[in-house]
Each structure stands twice: as structure tokens, then as C-alpha cells.
């Protein structure tokens, strides 16, 4: 929000090396439960850092069924449920990668349009980066698709640098391009604007850029 400082995810990510800690930003109650259960059931112990805003506590779209709570396990990456088959995935020309609450902000913005050419992929575990799961996403939607990272934090904060470095330097997913695209706030010395109207204007600009990928 306009008056809030962030959890400083980027600072924790700078501390992350190898598998010394877990850094997650979970968007569904069932996935949150499975993450905590995994943490307890492991035969070893390591720090678990979870970023999640207050909005999702009572948010109508952030819900899970009893079946989802009782079965399965923690999902490091959640793919777009609209593109479960090859035919649907073949219509996607832009893959929007994001983590946390901004996913639901995007969903709200696109409620009245289908946006079949877009796929929204949620990164639930950011460190250690789920390399295998991300590779499956890239194989599914193809190396020629446009890959975009969306975040609401300023560009010098959040998970942007971690995700960008991996995709650009390791997977080399985008043919004839040397970078993944970015949608979010400009670099800033402060985590918040301190002004509600300015905050809302910046958030609106981010979502309009996402919609622009559809139009």
C-alpha cells in the first residue's frame, strides 16, 4: 500500500545461496498448508520465509476446497488453469510470470475479457528457484513466446533480479532476444510512495500494461 514498507524480499533473496533457506510467496490456502506441512515433515530443519499480504486472508478468489487441502503437496509453480491442454496452450503468445498478490490484481483487471493469448504463471517458491518446474512451463508454451515478469514492487526490489538472471542466463528461452520483459514500478529509493493517489495511479499503470499485452 501507499503507506506500507514491503517485507524486503530482495534482501532475503540476496542472503539465499544454494538451499540454505526457503523463500516463498503463496497465493492459495491449500498451497500454504502443504508448504507448512512439508516444513514440519522434513527430517531436517532450515529457515522458511513466507511473504503474504493481508488482502488474501479474506479475499473471495483466494480459496481452496477440502479436497485440495487433503490431497497433493506443495506446488512451487502454479500454471494458468485455463491452459491445461496443448490446444489451449498453443494459442498463448505471452507468458506472464508473477508471484503473490499481484496475480489477483491482474485477474480482477481481466474479469471481463478472455485474454486467451496470455498465460499467468505464479511462482510460489522463489528460492531455491524451481528450475525444473520453470523449464516445464517454458517447454509447454514454447521458446518463441514472449516472457514477461510482473510485480508491484519497484524494479530494484522484489524478485525481479532473481528471476531475470535465471531466465536470461540459464534457460536462454527467448530466441533473437537477450532479455525478459518487465512490467512494474520504476526503480525507487523507497518501498512506498506515501501518497494514496500516486500509489493507485502507479498500480493502474501496471495493470494497463498487462492488459495491453492482450490488446
Amino acid at each position: 500500500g501507499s503507506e506500507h514498507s514491503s517485507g524486503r524480499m530482495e534482501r532475503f533473496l540476496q542472503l539465499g545461496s544454494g538451499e540454505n533457506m526457503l523463500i516463498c510467496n503463496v497465493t492459495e490456502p491449500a498451497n500454504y498448508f502443504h508448504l507448512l506441512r512439508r516444513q514440519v515433515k522434513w527430517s531436517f530443519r532450515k529457515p522458511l520465509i513466507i511473504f503474504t499480504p493481508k488482502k488474501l486472508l479474506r479475499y473471495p478468489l483466494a480459496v481452496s476446497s477440502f479436497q485440495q487441502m487433503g490431497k497433493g503437496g506443495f506446488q512451487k509453480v502454479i500454471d494458468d488453469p485455463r491452459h491445461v491442454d496443448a490446444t489451449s496452450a498453443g494459442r498463448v503468445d505471452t507468458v506472464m510470470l508473477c508471484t503473490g498478490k499481484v496475480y489477483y490484481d491482474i485477474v480482477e483487471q481481466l474479469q471481463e475479457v478472455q485474454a486467451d493469448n496470455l498465460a499467468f504463471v505464479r511462482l510460489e517458491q522463489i528460492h531455491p528457484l524451481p528450475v525444473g518446474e520453470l523449464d516445464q512451463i517454458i517447454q509447454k508454451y514454447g521458446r518463441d513466446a514472449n516472457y514477461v515478469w510482473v510485480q508491484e514492487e519497484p524494479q530494484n526490489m522484489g524478485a525481479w533480479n532473481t528471476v531475470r538472471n535465471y531466465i536470461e542466463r540459464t534457460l536462454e528461452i527467448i530466441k533473437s532476444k537477450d532479455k525478459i520483459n518487465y512490467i512494474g514500478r520504476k526503480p525507487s529509493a523507497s518501498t512506498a510512495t506515501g501518497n494514496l493517489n500516486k500509489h493507485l495511479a502507479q498500480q493502474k499503470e501496471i495493470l494497463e500494461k498487462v492488459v495491453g499485452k492482450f490488446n
Side-chain angles (χ1 to χ4, degrees):
S2 59
E3 301 293 341
H4 293 163
S5 61
S6 72
R8 286 299 202 176
M9 181 188 296
E10 67 281 354
R11 295 184 177 180
F12 285 93
L13 290 172
Q14 288 175 342
L15 294 173
S17 178
E19 298 187 2
N20 65 331
M21 67 174 69
L22 300 160
I23 302 174
C24 301
N25 195 355
V26 187
T27 58
E28 295 183 357
N31 216 30
Y32 195 102
F33 168 72
H34 290 303
L35 172 61
L36 295 180
R37 184 176 65 173
R38 184 185 73 171
Q39 184 77 0
V40 172
K41 296 295 291 184
W42 267 341
S43 59
F44 52 86
R45 292 289 175 262
K46 66 176 62 181
L48 169 62
I49 314 299
I50 302 176
F51 293 87
T52 185
K54 297 188 294 293
K55 174 177 179 176
L56 301 189
L57 291 175
R58 297 178 180 85
Y59 187 60
L61 295 180
V63 295
S64 300
S65 66
F66 284 114
Q67 184 177 16
Q68 290 172 314
M69 297 286 286
K71 295 183 179 180
F74 175 62
Q75 299 180 74
K76 300 176 183 177
V77 174
I78 299 181
D79 195 4
D80 194 324
R82 301 174 304 152
H83 302 299
V84 296
D85 57 67
T87 301
S88 178
R91 294 194 292 268
V92 173
D93 59 26
T94 301
V95 180
M96 298 277 186
L97 298 162
C98 63
T99 186
K101 178 186 77 70
V102 72
Y103 167 77
Y104 291 107
D105 294 336
I106 295 171
V107 169
E108 289 177 1
Q109 186 75 7
L110 295 174
Q111 281 183 340
E112 297 181 0
V113 295
Q114 293 182 329
D116 290 338
N117 67 311
L118 303 182
F120 299 101
V121 179
R122 284 169 278 173
L123 192 59
E124 303 277 288
Q125 178 176 298
I126 306 162
H127 181 83
L129 204 64
V131 174
E133 289 81 355
L134 282 175
D135 190 48
Q136 290 177 8
I137 293 294
I138 293 161
Q139 294 296 328
K140 176 179 178 179
Y141 294 110
R143 296 177 180 270
D144 291 325
N146 294 312
Y147 289 83
V148 182
W149 178 257
V150 184
Q151 68 176 32
E152 54 185 337
E153 297 93 342
Q155 192 170 5
N156 57 323
M157 303 177 193
W160 161 239
N161 286 316
T162 297
V163 176
R164 178 190 62 182
N165 290 339
Y166 172 72
I167 293 180
E168 289 182 1
R169 299 177 184 179
T170 306
L171 292 183
E172 297 179 352
I173 61 171
I174 306 176
K175 292 183 178 179
S176 74
K177 297 182 180 179
D178 60 357
K179 63 181 181 179
I180 179 175
N181 294 314
Y182 167 84
I183 294 178
R185 283 175 167 81
K186 297 177 181 178
S188 172
S190 172
T191 58
T193 65
N195 181 285
L196 178 59
N197 291 332
K198 187 173 182 180
H199 170 78
L200 294 176
Q202 290 178 349
Q203 197 76 355
K204 181 181 178 181
E205 182 181 0
I206 292 171
L207 298 177
E208 286 178 346
K209 288 180 179 179
V210 172
V211 175
K213 293 293 183 181
F214 164 72
N215 296 330

